[in-house]
Amino acid sequence: MAIQADLARAVAPGFTGQGITIGTLSDSFATAPTPSTTASEDISNNDLPDGIEVLSEFAQPATDEGRAMMQIIHDLAPGAEQKFFTAFNGQAAFANGIRSLAAAGCDIIVDDVFFFAEPFFQNGLIAQAVNEVSAAGKPYFSAAGNSGRQSYESEFRFADGFTGLSGGPLHDFDPGPATDAFQSFTIPVGSAVTFVLQWDEPFFSVSGAPGCQSDIDIFLTGSGDGQFNVLTGAFSRNVNGDAVDIFTFTNNGTIDIDGQPGPDTEFNLAIEGLAGTPPNLMKILYINRGNFSVNEFDTQSSTLVGHANAQHAIAVAAAPFFQTPPFGSAIPQLESFSSPGGSALLFNDDGTRFVEPLETAQPRITSADGGNTTFFGQVINDGDSFPNFFGTSAAAPHAAAVAALMLESAGGPDSLTPAQLLTLLQQTAIDMETPGFDSGSGAGLIDAQSALRRIGESLFGDPLLADIFMDEDNQSWLNPNVWDNDNAPSPEFDYVLATVGNNIMRSSPQNQIAAGTADFPGNSLTVPSGTRFLLKQQSQTASINSGQGELILDGGQVSFGPNANGSPVLDLNDFHVTATSGNSLGIASSIRNNTATVNGRLTGPGDLLILLEDGGSSLTSNGVVAFAEVDEKGYTGKLTVQGRGSSGNAILDFNSDVDFTGGAALELIGKGTLKVDQALTFQASKLSDPVNGTVPPGVYSGVELEALGANYLNAGGTLTVLPEPSLEGFEFIKTDEAITQVNIAFSNLQPGLTYDLYRSTDLVTFDTLVDTATTEVPAFTFIDTQSPPAKAFYRLSSREEPEPN
């Protein structure tokens, strides 16, 4: 409920994750010694699905947290199949488990395990496996972690006058002019803390020799006698190994060295450098099990590290379900323990240092925790006796289950790439904390209902949509009763739609209007956000002002069908898309492999989603949307084509040659298909599909076109993908040591376009320097002689010259 999955399923009845398989990695599935319910009982009570495949189980007794995660998945996506692999047999086995789940047919993978020795500043074995399966099209969700901001970061500073156990220099924790070689902590009796120290060198266990070239030790002392009373620590030799030291301290109440009555609770941490160059960056994670607190020099740094911080992981933060909008919190609240991101990767997989730190922008999203399980968690006062499962370990499977609903609604496995799925989740998330993306909550709390609507709003029959309506009893557009006002449309009256919620106009059933044509006589018909223009049962033609008017799609929907069994036509002058988002053109499967034609010119700046409006596995018909003409210079938005169902394709067809080099883009999603029966031209950055991502430059026809994949229908045409302009080089000309001219050479400039070069000295305001005439050669050098500054920023942009009337 907190992430609206119940509402998503309510508005999309039948969507349960059917056809999607989710793999879970955690401690165990069924080895808990005395659980209140067993796995077989959970299956018989429908708390888990039948047919779970356990690829690898932990051999020792554990908590069965993996089974609890799988209960959450089943609650939200009861139709999804599930598999399990234990992550408790070491890092190499964990990485193997990720690959094994992908090889076993899992479409989505989720985990909640973190190894302390995973590299903080480099992709380890597990992170590399995460990136690998994500690149193969499997979205990977990982718990962000439950360490809050219990982390310390600093360069190594020499504490003058202090040496460690082995005579090496101690780190100065005080960043100011004073010196303090010890960081003070409070660790109450009965509490335990694991200290994990890493520093900015590559790991031998990841990238091989030479590995780490410095040696750092970390140890805990009593608060009375400082460094001379060492209680415990990590003293491994790191040279040619891994840049990590780990130790755990438990205050069992037997330590009393501070000179005060009673067991000690105040302790000091020290860091000693023994060999090699002192680190430029050290990071300590305090893994707290008890009421531990940092008394000084607390940097409160990121704790989201390891494979959850991989470039292609989807790390999930946690928000308690009772502090989300459905439970009265307009702004969802983040769990205080949820691990924030902000730890950049510093090294490639091969151990070479990045030129610039690689920011991974984790966590990506937030999901809810605190939901019920049958055996795992703690009972809270929420109106029932079931235990509640808290932590990012509970948030991650919630997000994975929502992803299963999204994949099913988009057409099944592989219908959305991991990047596309993540974009949908982030674009529809409810913002938290600071506006926009932040290191605690990512893009915000996922909203399953909004995410599924974004995939295709017409899939759900949204009750808030107002149909533009004309039925059999109101067969004439000129009847004022049709319009919910006193002004019937006419050539003199440009109709503006009435308020959302009024059913006011729909094209007539076939053969009810003379010559099978429903003609709206107004000069323009506007379809705003929240409104649908439904051409119901229209197998012939609906027109605006006898084909001379405009349909202005301003955030609304145009729908062909249902029951349009022939090849309907919308006849008009301009199909003008104005709003930046929300526009859709849908075709019902009842068109049955025929074509719905927009007999007019596509123009405008807005994006347009073209999709099949019937969802579910029963959809087997293709639907074709054809544009008779495209304003190549006037349409600058993005066309997104999306098919659904087991074999239903949404096919986009252009009835004339189209050159989209002026700015328009095309994205094919799932079973979205481009019919290539004309000469079609795109810039490389403006054409993408699920198989190729961005399509490489080239000329594609015949077998070359078919090799691009099933998203392209070879119908005898040619698809040309043009390379983007690229910078060839700079040349600075100086006079008396002052720059007097800058020559900037570009290649891959396209004939027919005008290129402008802009210059900025403040990186905000650009001054136009060059407005060159169209060139017929693929390269051109721009010359800046207008008193070039010592430093400047240049930008190249293209535009098309308007054609004379």
Side-chain angles (χ1 to χ4, degrees):
M1 182 174 178
I3 56 175
Q4 309 285 9
D6 56 332
L7 297 181
R9 289 197 305 271
V11 297
F15 280 83
T16 63
Q18 185 73 31
I20 308 301
T21 302
I22 302 176
T24 298
L25 295 119
S26 187
D27 61 345
S28 62
F29 177 73
T31 69
T34 56
S36 55
T37 64
T38 65
S40 59
E41 290 171 339
D42 290 342
I43 293 171
S44 63
N45 293 330
N46 197 31
D47 291 305
L48 285 175
D50 287 323
I52 290 175
E53 183 179 358
V54 179
L55 278 67
S56 175
E57 177 65 286
F58 191 46
Q60 303 175 33
T63 68
D64 289 359
E65 189 164 343
R67 176 157 58 100
M69 294 170 65
M70 296 167 80
Q71 285 190 5
I72 290 173
I73 293 170
H74 188 62
D75 284 344
L76 272 66
E81 296 184 14
Q82 295 199 51
K83 300 179 188 292
F84 178 81
F85 201 108
T86 182
F88 262 37
N89 288 326
Q91 292 189 57
F94 190 166
N96 178 60
I98 293 171
R99 296 185 176 97
S100 296
L101 287 171
C106 291
D107 306 300
I108 298 165
I109 303 175
V110 59
D111 84 81
D112 75 331
V113 174
F114 164 65
F115 282 88
F116 297 156
E118 289 185 56
F120 293 172
F121 306 116
Q122 182 180 14
N123 285 323
L125 301 177
I126 304 169
Q128 291 180 32
V130 170
N131 288 337
E132 181 181 313
V133 299
S134 180
K138 315 294 184 183
Y140 193 98
F141 293 85
S142 187
N146 302 324
S147 295
R149 291 193 172 274
Q150 294 186 337
S151 173
Y152 173 82
E153 280 190 10
S154 174
E155 63 179 340
F156 188 97
R157 294 183 294 265
F158 289 93
D160 294 338
F162 291 87
T163 56
L165 287 177
S166 302
L170 291 185
H171 167 62
D172 180 10
F173 282 93
D174 193 326
T179 299
D180 193 335
F182 302 96
Q183 185 180 32
S184 172
F185 296 90
T186 298
I187 306 176
V189 173
S191 295
V193 183
T194 297
F195 296 86
V196 183
L197 168 67
Q198 295 192 23
W199 55 98
D200 60 339
E201 293 200 64
F203 277 38
F204 174 83
S205 64
V206 174
S207 46
C212 174
Q213 292 300 293
S214 59
D215 190 6
I216 308 294
D217 284 350
I218 180 172
F219 51 90
L220 198 73
T221 77
S223 63
D225 294 324
Q227 63 176 317
F228 303 106
N229 234 320
V230 176
L231 301 173
T232 186
F235 308 103
S236 59
R237 292 296 173 255
N238 306 103
V239 175
N240 298 324
D242 291 350
V244 58
D245 275 340
I246 304 171
F247 75 91
T248 298
F249 172 74
T250 301
N251 188 356
N252 58 14
T254 63
I255 300 171
D256 185 10
I257 58 177
D258 63 359
Q260 302 297 320
D264 290 355
T265 58
E266 303 297 317
F267 303 92
N268 291 326
L269 190 72
I271 301 173
E272 181 179 6
L274 297 178
T277 303
N280 293 315
L281 179 62
M282 301 182 298
K283 185 179 188 69
I284 306 173
L285 256 62
Y286 314 120
I287 312 300
N288 172 27
R289 293 179 293 277
N291 296 318
F292 156 90
S293 60
V294 182
N295 298 331
E296 58 181 353
F297 314 125
D298 187 3
T299 62
Q300 298 190 7
S301 303
S302 165
T303 57
L304 198 163
V305 292
H307 68 273
N309 198 39
Q311 300 97 307
H312 300 297
I314 302 175
V316 185
F321 74 87
F322 49 80
Q323 290 185 320
T324 62
F327 292 88
S329 291
I331 299 176
Q333 301 300 303
L334 193 68
E335 292 277 21
S336 61
F337 55 71
S338 190
S339 290
S343 295
L345 297 177
L346 304 181
F347 299 95
N348 275 299
D349 295 351
D350 62 6
T352 58
R353 188 182 288 268
F354 289 124
V355 176
E356 295 290 339
L358 179 60
E359 303 291 343
T360 58
Q362 299 283 8
R364 309 290 195 194
I365 52 173
T366 299
S367 189
D369 72 344
N372 288 340
T373 72
T374 63
F375 72 98
F376 187 88
Q378 57 187 354
V379 177
I380 65 172
N381 185 20
D382 63 347
D384 60 54
S385 59
F386 290 105
N388 296 75
F389 185 2
F390 286 92
T392 58
S393 295
H398 276 98
V402 170
L405 300 178
M406 294 170 66
L407 284 182
E408 183 191 11
S409 70
D414 302 321
S415 57
L416 296 171
T417 66
Q420 290 168 336
L421 187 143
L422 174 60
T423 296
L424 289 166
L425 285 173
Q426 290 183 319
Q427 288 179 342
T428 56
I430 302 171
D431 198 20
M432 302 168 59
E433 299 197 308
T434 58
F437 184 92
D438 55 70
S439 63
S441 65
L445 181 69
I446 61 173
D447 183 336
Q449 183 184 26
S450 296
L452 265 68
R453 288 192 189 282
R454 183 63 62 88
I455 291 175
E457 290 186 5
S458 58
L459 175 65
F460 307 111
D462 189 338
L464 296 179
L465 284 174
D467 289 338
I468 307 174
F469 184 90
M470 185 178 74
D471 61 18
E472 296 180 44
D473 297 327
N474 291 307
Q475 296 177 13
S476 171
W477 300 126
L478 302 180
N479 186 342
N481 294 329
V482 177
W483 291 99
D484 195 39
N485 60 39
D486 295 330
N487 296 313
S490 68
E492 293 77 31
F493 176 61
D494 287 349
Y495 174 68
V496 178
L497 204 62
T499 57
V500 171
N502 294 310
N503 292 323
I504 49 181
M505 189 178 70
R506 175 173 64 184
S507 69
S508 74
Q510 60 180 347
N511 301 323
Q512 295 297 318
I513 298 294
T517 298
D519 186 12
F520 167 65
N523 290 327
S524 65
L525 175 62
T526 300
V527 186
S529 176
T531 303
R532 178 171 56 182
F533 178 21
L534 176 61
L535 295 102
K536 182 174 174 60
Q537 296 180 344
Q538 186 64 49
S539 297
Q540 299 188 33
T541 301
S543 66
I544 297 177
N545 200 12
S546 300
Q548 301 303 308
E550 293 185 358
L551 186 139
I552 301 172
L553 191 56
D554 191 28
Q557 290 180 234
V558 174
S559 300
F560 287 100
N563 306 321
N565 298 329
S567 296
V569 175
L570 177 59
D571 191 27
L572 69 166
N573 184 53
D574 280 343
F575 187 93
H576 194 67
V577 186
T578 57
T580 56
S581 63
N583 310 291
S584 68
L585 193 158
I587 181 171
S589 63
S590 57
I591 299 297
R592 294 183 184 151
N593 299 314
N594 289 323
T595 299
T597 301
V598 177
N599 189 24
R601 180 176 57 184
L602 173 64
T603 187
D607 296 343
L608 178 62
L609 173 65
I610 300 170
L611 74 165
L612 289 177
E613 291 194 332
D614 293 298
S617 59
S618 63
L619 178 59
T620 58
S621 298
N622 296 328
V624 182
V625 173
F627 285 100
E629 184 182 356
V630 176
D631 184 355
E632 297 173 347
K633 296 178 174 58
Y635 183 70
T636 57
K638 181 172 80 170
L639 299 172
T640 301
V641 186
Q642 181 174 339
R644 294 197 182 92
S646 58
S647 60
N649 292 54
I651 301 173
L652 173 63
D653 184 19
F654 296 107
N655 289 344
S656 60
D657 294 349
V658 175
D659 185 340
F660 267 143
T661 55
L666 174 62
E667 180 181 19
L668 306 174
I669 295 179
K671 295 180 180 295
T673 303
L674 175 64
K675 183 177 181 180
V676 183
D677 57 353
Q678 305 287 341
L680 309 178
T681 305
F682 294 87
Q683 289 288 144
S685 63
K686 299 297 182 70
L687 178 62
S688 61
D689 62 64
V691 175
N692 302 284
T694 300
V695 179
V699 179
Y700 302 92
S701 62
V703 294
E704 293 89 355
L705 180 64
E706 293 167 0
L708 290 178
N711 294 93
Y712 300 90
L713 178 60
N714 179 16
T718 300
L719 175 64
T720 301
V721 183
L722 299 175
E724 298 296 326
S726 60
L727 176 67
E728 292 298 310
F730 282 87
E731 179 186 11
F732 300 95
I733 298 176
K734 294 183 178 181
T735 302
D736 297 330
E737 297 304 315
I739 298 174
T740 56
Q741 180 173 316
V742 181
N743 300 330
I744 309 172
F746 291 91
S747 62
N748 297 327
L749 303 187
Q750 302 303 323
L753 297 183
T754 292
Y755 289 87
D756 300 323
L757 189 69
Y758 298 89
R759 183 185 73 183
S760 171
T761 56
D762 59 7
L763 304 186
V764 176
T765 303
F766 289 88
D767 299 320
T768 301
L769 297 179
V770 178
D771 186 351
T772 182
T774 299
T775 176
E776 296 298 331
V777 294
F780 196 86
T781 298
F782 293 93
I783 300 174
D784 178 6
T785 59
Q786 299 182 18
S787 301
K791 294 182 180 181
F793 177 79
Y794 292 89
R795 183 185 68 180
L796 182 73
S797 66
S798 64
R799 58 186 170 88
E800 293 188 86
E801 290 291 346
E803 294 180 346
N805 292 325

